[in-house]
Each structure stands twice: as C-alpha cells, then as structure tokens.
Amino acid sequence: QAVAELFLDALVVHDTTAGIPVRTCTALMWRSAFRFRHRVLEPAAADLSEAEWVCRSIGDRSLRERALANLEIAKSSLGSDESSTEPLTGLDDAIAYYQRTSSHVWLRTAYFARARRLEKRGDAAAAERDFQAALDEGDASRAKIDERQLRMSFTATADEIEDGYVEFLLRQHREEEAFEVADRRRMRELVDSPTARWQTMPGAGSLLPHVRSSLSFDATLIEYRVLRETIVVWVIAPDAFHTHVLPVSIGEIESAIAAVESPAQESMVRANASFLYDVLVRRIEPLLKDAETLVIVPDDDLERIAYSGLYDRVQQRWLLDRCATFVAPSAELFAQSRRRWNERPTREDSVVV
C-alpha cells in the first residue's frame, strides 16, 4: 500500500509539473480512488476538489467533457454529495456524454450513481429506471469487461450494481422481487461463465412458484446473498416464503470460514462451526420447522462452507445430525433440475459408485 501511494504521489507531482491538465486530473482521480478504497476519506475528497479545478481548465472541449463526466462518478463513489438537493445536472451530463461515446462501463456506473441519488431524494420510480438501465448496460457489455480491473477504480462492478438493486428492492419491501432478481442474476453469471456446465437460461414468469413446487413437503430452500454490510437470506418452503436480513458483514465471519477449512484441533473447529451456525442459521431456525432436507444456495465466500458441519451448541449436535443438506448453484437451476428429473422416462435407473 505504501509503495502504491508513493507511486501515485509521484505521478501527481510529475503531471502537475509538466503542465498537462488532462493527465493531472486523471492522476488526482486515481489517487483519490486509491485513498477512498483504503478509507482515507479527507485526502481523497481534497484530491477531487483539486481535480475539478484542473478539469475545468482543460482547453479542448471533448477532453474537458470526458474529464468532468469521470469526475462526477468519482464524487458519487465518495458519497460526498448524496444528501445534496442540488439538481443532478452533473450526472445527467455525464450520462449523456457516455451514451454519445458508447463508454459502457462508465455509463452503467453513472446510471447506478444517479439511481442512488434519486432514491435518497424519494423518487423511487426514477431510481428503479436507472437501476434497470445500469443492469441492462452491464448485460450488453458483459463479455467485454474484466470486472477484476474495476475494483480499484470508481467504476462499479456488476456485483455492486446488482447488490445495490437488491438492497433497493428490500427497502421498498419487495422481498419476492429481490429474491428473483438475486437468483436470476446469479444464474446468468453461471450460464455466462466460460467454464459453465449449464447451457440453459433463466426462465420467464415468476420464479418463486416454480421453486416452491419443486420442493418436497419435508424440504426447505435457503438462499443467501452477501451485500455490502449485511447478508440477506430467503427461506422457502412449499407453503411459505420469508426474508431475513442478518446483521453481519462477510468480513466479520471470514476468519471463521477459513478456520473451519483448515486442519485444527476439534475444539477449534467446533467453536468456529458453532459461531457460523449462530450467525447463518440460528436466526432463521424457527422458519425451518421440521424440515428434513435443506437445499442451500450460498453466495460469495459462503460457498466455502460445509453446511452439514455447522454445530448447534444449544442442541449439542451437528447440522448433519438434524437433517440432510446439499448445495445448489441457484434456486432456479435447482427447480429446473427437479422438473427434468420428474419428467424423465419411468425406468429403473442405476448408479455405479
């Protein structure tokens, strides 16, 4: 981190001394992005203020428009003006510029930034239009974008936009829609992956009835979605649907996940497995009732957990002792696989192990 900061400091000094405003503006924004990602917020904001002054001094109109558009995204990423009631002229101009120049990565980020600002102002309908536009832009350019390269800049990754939309729907108390968006976006990622084993695409119509009808009477599906500061979990049974937000971030449980993966004494494994049970299962335990089978759709680092090995310290038993568990890549893929199984020709099948 120290080496990177020294490099960015040297870059800013070099471009400022050379008297090249375009490069100076860009260098200041990169340094601001770096500081923002490392939570050094005041220097990051100071860099943006200086960058705006430099950007407005650029003589070439096209270069000035691009620099100012990028600066609007940087400001939104810092969240420095989210509570402002000023007109969204800067973001409007940025979106117009990115549309005109077909800058898809920046365009989806600008839509996402404006969506969050509009929601803050109470305009949910306009915010949703921008969320949808951001998702559409991401889908249109999915194959051309290396998401890993976006994590150290102000541009939003597809995951950030999708999570933002799910959070928006939850705040609007549209839990079923949030579930369907989360699961179908997850399925799209699986299908679009270069190593995908699935060649199907998300189906049409409401997803929830298909998932519920695919479950046996003694089965419950649990789907997790890792958000910025919380983990949302949907619990689906043949006759019920519940949403629960777990007040924990993925960062708070990463060490426990790593611990249960590593060779260690049984007491240490049990302690971490118990902690993960308390975090991920305890709060939804009443919703599981007498389920004998749990279908679990994990997300992000939650995919690394062996759920049958979670330990209930109250009942002093492993989850495996209570019910059968298996992991599915998405709720929709699970429902499709169950439907294909039910539609198979009737015959005695055998499996060689």
Side-chain angles (χ1 to χ4, degrees):
Q1 178 179 340
V3 173
E5 191 162 6
L6 283 172
F7 170 78
L8 289 169
D9 288 344
L11 187 64
V12 170
V13 170
H14 176 272
D15 292 339
T16 302
T17 304
I20 309 174
V22 174
R23 288 172 52 179
T24 302
C25 183
T26 302
L28 285 164
M29 283 194 284
W30 273 108
R31 189 171 68 179
S32 180
F34 177 84
R35 287 172 167 175
F36 171 67
R37 294 294 179 182
H38 288 87
R39 312 307 297 169
V40 187
L41 300 185
E42 288 188 14
D47 278 345
L48 286 183
S49 296
E50 185 177 353
E52 181 168 8
W53 181 84
V54 174
C55 289
R56 294 192 182 280
S57 71
I58 297 172
D60 184 280
R61 178 180 176 180
S62 177
L63 295 177
R64 184 172 63 252
E65 287 181 343
R66 182 180 66 184
L68 289 171
N70 293 351
L71 185 62
E72 284 298 321
I73 303 303
K75 288 180 180 179
S76 297
S77 295
L78 275 171
S80 57
D81 55 359
E82 281 194 352
S83 60
S84 172
T85 58
E86 292 296 317
L88 302 181
T89 307
L91 279 172
D92 295 341
D93 291 344
I95 287 171
Y97 173 79
Y98 295 138
Q99 287 174 330
R100 191 167 65 250
T101 57
S102 299
S103 303
H104 297 288
V105 176
W106 290 93
L107 178 57
R108 74 179 188 184
T109 304
Y111 277 130
F112 181 47
R114 193 171 66 178
R116 291 187 296 183
R117 292 280 298 281
L118 288 166
E119 186 192 2
K120 288 276 188 182
R121 296 179 178 207
D123 194 344
E128 182 155 16
R129 286 195 295 271
D130 275 354
F131 274 121
Q132 291 284 2
L135 292 170
D136 291 344
E137 279 297 319
D139 290 341
S141 54
R142 180 181 295 270
K144 303 175 184 177
I145 299 173
D146 184 351
E147 297 287 340
R148 294 167 301 178
Q149 295 181 1
L150 304 184
R151 298 191 184 276
M152 286 303 296
S153 73
F154 286 118
T155 50
T157 66
D159 282 347
E160 289 172 323
I161 294 171
E162 291 162 14
D163 288 350
Y165 187 41
V166 168
E167 290 174 320
F168 167 79
L169 292 172
L170 291 174
R171 286 191 292 268
Q172 298 293 312
H173 306 291
R174 295 158 60 184
E175 288 85 0
E176 291 187 15
E177 289 178 71
F179 161 70
E180 297 201 4
V181 167
D183 191 77
R184 284 186 159 153
R185 304 302 300 188
R186 176 177 177 80
M187 182 176 174
R188 183 179 291 276
E189 290 175 9
L190 293 167
V191 170
D192 286 352
S193 169
T195 58
R197 293 176 293 167
W198 302 274
Q199 298 301 318
T200 185
M201 287 299 289
S206 179
L207 169 61
L208 186 58
H210 295 299
V211 174
R212 290 172 62 176
S213 65
S214 70
L215 293 165
S216 60
F217 73 95
D218 62 349
T220 296
L221 184 142
I222 303 171
E223 178 157 344
Y224 295 96
R225 179 80 181 196
V226 174
L227 301 176
R228 287 178 298 174
E229 299 176 353
T230 59
I231 298 173
V232 63
V233 54
W234 293 281
V235 181
I236 305 171
D239 60 349
F241 172 82
H242 301 278
T243 301
H244 198 92
V245 178
L246 305 177
V248 63
S249 69
I250 191 66
E252 294 175 80
I253 63 173
E254 280 180 341
S255 60
I257 295 173
V260 297
E261 289 181 309
S262 305
Q265 294 181 345
E266 182 181 349
S267 60
M268 288 296 296
V269 171
R270 182 172 298 190
N272 285 288
S274 175
F275 171 71
L276 290 173
Y277 186 96
D278 288 343
V279 170
L280 299 174
V281 182
R282 181 79 62 198
R283 290 173 180 270
I284 62 171
E285 209 171 30
L287 305 176
L288 305 182
K289 299 181 180 179
D290 298 323
E292 296 181 5
T293 302
L294 296 183
V295 181
I296 299 172
V297 181
D299 183 37
D300 205 298
D301 280 348
L302 300 183
E303 296 174 355
R304 296 159 50 194
I305 297 173
Y307 288 85
S308 59
L310 298 185
Y311 187 73
D312 182 352
R313 58 183 171 79
V314 176
Q315 299 295 327
Q316 296 188 342
R317 65 184 180 184
W318 304 94
L319 188 56
L320 177 63
D321 297 327
R322 170 186 169 169
C323 58
T325 64
F326 67 91
V327 173
S330 81
E332 182 156 8
L333 282 171
F334 167 77
Q336 289 184 9
S337 68
R338 292 296 300 169
R339 183 174 65 251
R340 289 168 184 161
W341 172 259
N342 293 331
E343 292 172 352
R344 76 193 190 286
T346 304
R347 63 177 185 272
E348 292 294 328
D349 292 330
S350 59
V351 177
V352 177
V353 179

